[in-house]
Structures are given as C-alpha cells and as structure tokens.
Amino acid sequence: MAPRWLQPAQARTPRFLMIALCSACLVSFFLVAVVFSPPAAIRTHLSPQTEELKFSIPTTNFSLPGPPPQVTEKDEYKDRLVGLGTSDPEPLPAAVDTSGLRYAILMPTFEGHFDNTIKFLQDLRCLCVDHNELDIQIIVSDSHEQAAFRALLAARLQPCNSTYSRFPVPPTLRAAPAPRVNVTNLFDILPPLLLDTEGVSADDTSPLLRARGKYVYQSVKKLAAAFAFAYDVALWLDAEAAVVQPFAARAGLFDEWVRSPGPLFRSRMARQPWMVRLMGDAWRVLGREQSSFGELGWVLESMMWMVDKAILNDMRDWVERAHGIPDFWAVWLDYGAPFEILLYNAHIVARKLETTDSVYSPYAVLETEREMIRFGMQPAFEHIEHRTDTGFLERAYTMLRTPAVWPNFSAFLRRHRQRIVRLEELDLAPPEVYDRLLLDTPVFLLASGDVPLHEWWEGRMREGAPLYGGAVNWTDFS
C-alpha cells in the first residue's frame, strides 16, 4: 500500500472529514462548557476527592453569561425587568469598630424540643470556634422546665472528640469550655400586663398559652427575651436550629452583619387571608396603613433574624407614641399580636421611608422575586411562587428541584450575606448539590426545619458514598 501522502486525494477525503468533524466537536464542547458551566465565582473544587475546602468567604462577583430569564405568562410575578445585571460592585462594608459589641442568641424552647436544643448546643460547642463570645439565652416555660433543662444540659452536653460529623475538631476547640448558657424562666421576663393573666405563676405559664394561643405564646417568649436581656445585636433562633459547618460567630456572622446588614426582603406572597391579616396587624401595631405597602406585601422572607437592640427599642417607643398608650404590649395584643420578626421587619421597612437615621441607613429593602430573577433563578420559580403558606425566600430551597440553579442560589445568598437558611428536605436534588450549596456559599446555620443534616452526612460516609469537599482549613478562623 502506498504511503498516505502518495494516495489519491479522493482516498484521503474521509480522513480529512473525520478530522474536521472532530475539530467541530471539540469547538462545540468548549462553547458549551464556557456558556453553561457555573460562573468562575462558584466553579470551584472540580476534583472533590482531592481538593481542600476553604472556608474563607468568596468575594468574586457573580455574573450571568447573558440577560436573566424573564418571567412567563404562568408566573405569578408579572413585572418585566430591564437594566438589571449581577456584575455591579458589592457595597463596601462600613468601617465600624465591633470589638466592644455584645452578641447574643435568643432561643425559646419547651420540654418537647429539649432534645433539639441540646443537639444545637452540641453543634455549637464543636463547630463554632468562638462560642464563648456569645451570650446564649434559652427561654423555657416555667420553673419545672428550667430545672429539667439545666439537669439535661449538665448530663448530655459533652466535650468534643477529634471529629464531629464530617469535620475534624482542632485541639483548641476540644479543650474549650462549654458554651455560656443562661436558662431563663419565661415568668421572670413577662411584662406586667401578661403577668396578670389568671393562673400564671413561676411554676406554670400554661394559662397564658391557653388564653392567647400557641403562636402568640411563642412570640411572647421571643419578644420578652429581646426586651429583657442586655446585648447590642441578638439572633432569634428556633429550637430546631442546627449548625452546618465550622464558623466564627463573631467575625463571620455578627460582625459581618453589623458592618453590612443584609437587605430587608419583601415579596408578593401574601395571597391568603391569614397572611394579609397578619401583615395588616403588623402595620396597625406600627400605626401604619397597609395600603401604603400593598396587600400582597410579605416581609417574613429572610431567616437572618438579627435583632438590633437600638431598632427594637425605637420600635417599642414608636408604637407607644403612635397610639398614645405607654405600653407596647397592650397595643401589640389589641391589634392581633403579629409575629415578632414580621413586626420588626415591617418597622424597618416603614422607617426607611421617613428617616435618615444612621441606625436605618445601612439597610436596603429589596423585592425577593426581583432579586432572584436578577440572579437567573426564574426557571425554578414554579416550585415556590404558587405556594400559599410561606414567604418566597423562606422556603427557597424548594427551587433545588431544578438543580441547575444551585450556583445562582448560592451567589444570591452570598451576595446578600444570608448565612442562615431554612431547609426541610434533603432529597430534592443530588447530594452534591446540597454539599456545594451549604459549604461553598457558605451557610453557617439552619434556622429551623429539624432536618438531620449531620446524620445524613454520616450515613453517606458509612456507605462509602463520595462527599464533596476535603479537610477544613481551620486557620481561616484565626
């Protein structure tokens, strides 16, 4: 057979065609990879078995490869968005000296949730490198629960081993003392108006529960604690909360929030009469007209339930002056006793309309749906926007039913400093999607939902299933 270079041209044509086709395939593959792969801000750890996870917070801006997908006719949200992108620079954090600020966690609980509360404190002991800098206030229902929880705390809160869940625990944290926990009887912080409830005593506050109902009773625990204790910034948490991964509470959560608070999100999800009524009650407590803010407006969106004591005190003062009644609690109860975080967020939204006070100026008020469209998440709206029992961002994890949006969701959370999310299901997307969303964003806490995250990780490890991420770089917290 003659050498290839001596063969007739027609005999060589198929080989040339093959080379051309291969070249076209390579070019197409490259274009697909560039256009459809996650943006550089998120496209990390491409070799999850070998690369080490870094827990420093990413700062690279996220940008979409093109205009964000617009809403369609089937969407509840109808606005057309123009001039929106994700490449604008992030606002610079304020130069605030946070060294002397006092931070607290306010967690109401009761006997039925004691196991959850102890589990959270164990998470905190083994995964929060500076838990000793937090005042942890646990609010129980009566003196019997107070004694029972203190005994449970002494018996079950254990020193940390060399590992906790999927994470190694450094010697310094293993040798650290237990978190500072103060267990308070609700009776001791009740306002006078509620202390007068017939049958209420230090040994039994259940008459208040029966008289006012479950949700008012829960809000009383949170509001009474927020007014009673000394702090600069506190975090309201439900008893079902959980720590996700190693973090620094002061630098990574509270200091960051003080220097650059996340936005106050509002959505158009108040589509049920009970939601319209709750928002109306909040506006009426504040002396506002609901029509000024829209009947669909809903402000229980973000799970970052951070409480600035200065804003809380201003809210109390505002309510009393607006109604000419020197008792916040009387007004709150007369107008339906709306959820504490709903009222607090509504107060910030309203005060932003009329003041340039430096306490309020760091806060932005953003529409949840609009911001999520801006980050390219509209293709997953169908999983959340038709629900009638929740805020949009509150249960945004349901959008993971469209797994391809996780990089966008991660960028959205990171951009707006949402270190705490709600998560109630772990089977909506492939496991690595959850791993990457939680670890890379990063998410520090699950606010509620009682999802067994660490047991889920441990089960996957026992089965030999691959886990995304490598060893923790604890020096990132030093």
Side-chain angles (χ1 to χ4, degrees):
M1 184 176 181
R4 284 197 73 256
W5 59 274
L6 287 177
Q7 291 177 19
Q10 62 269 29
R12 300 198 302 269
T13 301
R15 184 64 61 89
F16 285 131
L17 282 174
M18 187 179 297
I19 293 172
L21 287 170
C22 289
S23 300
C25 289
L26 287 171
V27 171
S28 300
F29 177 81
F30 173 76
L31 288 173
V32 169
V34 169
V35 174
F36 294 104
S37 62
I42 302 172
R43 192 171 60 248
T44 56
H45 314 306
L46 297 180
S47 177
Q49 300 305 312
T50 58
E51 293 197 28
E52 181 180 277
L53 262 180
K54 299 293 185 180
F55 284 82
S56 53
I57 297 173
T59 56
T60 307
N61 285 334
F62 169 85
S63 61
L64 293 173
Q70 296 286 325
V71 293
T72 63
E73 286 301 317
K74 64 182 176 58
D75 286 312
E76 296 285 346
Y77 189 86
K78 301 299 183 185
D79 287 11
R80 304 297 298 177
L81 273 62
V82 295
L84 280 180
T86 53
S87 58
D88 55 312
E90 297 187 36
L92 293 175
V96 178
D97 181 8
T98 61
S99 59
L101 296 182
R102 188 171 179 178
Y103 300 140
I105 289 176
L106 310 178
M107 178 177 282
T109 190
F110 74 108
E111 191 171 11
H113 282 169
F114 279 3
D115 287 343
N116 302 82
T117 310
I118 293 292
K119 177 65 168 59
F120 169 76
L121 294 172
Q122 190 69 62
D123 286 355
L124 203 68
R125 180 170 188 172
C126 297
L127 293 177
C128 180
V129 298
D130 56 354
H131 57 70
N132 59 309
E133 295 201 34
L134 301 175
D135 295 325
I136 302 168
Q137 307 287 356
I138 305 296
I139 302 93
V140 296
S141 305
D142 52 45
S143 60
H144 303 297
E145 285 193 353
Q146 187 178 38
F149 189 81
R150 284 173 174 165
L152 201 62
L153 194 63
R156 289 181 48 187
L157 189 60
Q158 299 297 313
C160 305
N161 296 319
S162 59
T163 60
Y164 189 82
S165 179
R166 60 178 290 171
F167 304 106
V169 180
T172 51
L173 198 52
R174 297 202 296 269
R180 297 200 313 263
V181 179
N182 179 44
V183 185
T184 298
N185 182 350
L186 172 61
F187 179 83
D188 294 333
I189 57 174
L190 278 178
L193 181 63
L194 294 174
L195 277 173
D196 287 341
T197 303
E198 185 178 356
V200 165
S201 69
D203 294 334
D204 185 11
T205 62
S206 63
L208 178 60
L209 172 63
R210 290 191 294 272
R212 300 291 182 176
K214 170 184 170 183
Y215 294 111
V216 173
Y217 186 73
Q218 290 174 339
S219 287
V220 167
K221 279 187 173 181
K222 289 180 180 177
L223 274 173
F227 285 126
F229 297 121
Y231 58 85
D232 295 293
V233 178
L235 171 63
W236 274 321
L237 278 179
D238 288 340
E240 305 98 321
V243 180
V244 172
Q245 60 175 303
F247 79 110
R250 175 168 283 277
L253 187 61
F254 285 94
D255 283 355
E256 179 186 65
W257 186 265
V258 169
R259 294 191 177 109
S260 187
L264 257 294
F265 284 102
R266 54 153 289 163
S267 71
R268 302 184 194 179
M269 292 291 281
R271 299 198 190 96
Q272 290 295 301
W274 68 270
M275 299 174 85
V276 176
R277 177 185 57 77
L278 268 177
M279 281 305 311
D281 289 346
W283 296 127
R284 283 187 285 276
V285 169
L286 297 170
R288 313 282 182 171
E289 283 289 335
Q290 186 172 16
S291 57
S292 296
F293 304 91
E295 284 204 351
L296 291 178
W298 182 254
V299 297
L300 206 169
E301 288 286 311
S302 169
M303 303 307 290
M304 296 285 291
W305 296 349
M306 306 292 267
V307 185
D308 185 316
K309 193 60 174 281
I311 291 177
L312 186 80
N313 288 338
D314 179 68
M315 182 184 78
R316 177 172 57 188
D317 181 60
W318 179 275
V319 168
E320 293 176 352
R321 289 190 294 124
H323 293 271
I325 299 174
D327 188 346
F328 165 87
W329 292 98
V331 177
W332 182 68
L333 291 167
D334 284 347
Y335 286 90
F339 296 156
E340 73 294 326
I341 191 63
L342 203 71
L343 182 67
Y344 180 85
N345 287 349
H347 179 64
I348 296 176
V349 170
R351 292 287 272 149
K352 289 286 291 182
L353 297 178
E354 62 198 10
T355 182
T356 56
D357 191 303
S358 60
V359 173
Y360 295 94
S361 57
Y363 290 87
V365 179
L366 299 177
E367 195 167 49
T368 309
E369 297 95 330
R370 197 173 187 86
E371 275 299 288
M372 287 191 169
I373 291 170
R374 180 185 179 212
F375 277 81
M377 297 176 66
Q378 182 278 332
F381 272 23
E382 61 181 320
H383 305 305
I384 181 66
E385 67 174 347
H386 302 292
R387 290 185 62 157
T388 57
D389 62 343
T390 182
F392 207 103
L393 178 55
E394 182 184 3
R395 286 182 170 86
Y397 69 86
T398 57
M399 290 193 284
L400 294 178
R401 288 189 173 97
T402 301
V405 304
W406 83 261
N408 310 63
F409 189 25
S410 178
F412 170 91
L413 295 172
R414 180 165 60 249
R415 174 61 177 269
H416 296 305
R417 297 165 295 286
Q418 301 295 297
R419 308 295 176 206
I420 307 173
V421 301
R422 189 182 189 109
L423 184 63
E424 296 170 317
E425 299 173 80
L426 289 168
D427 57 358
L428 302 181
E432 188 176 339
V433 168
Y434 285 96
D435 293 349
R436 286 174 173 252
L437 177 68
L438 295 173
L439 298 178
D440 282 356
T441 297
V443 172
F444 296 149
L445 299 170
L446 301 182
S448 57
D450 195 22
V451 63
L453 177 65
H454 292 291
E455 292 82 356
W456 181 67
W457 271 331
E458 290 166 355
R460 287 167 58 195
M461 288 189 290
R462 283 193 300 271
E463 294 167 3
L467 288 181
Y468 167 72
V472 178
N473 183 3
W474 287 93
T475 58
D476 286 343
F477 301 121
S478 60

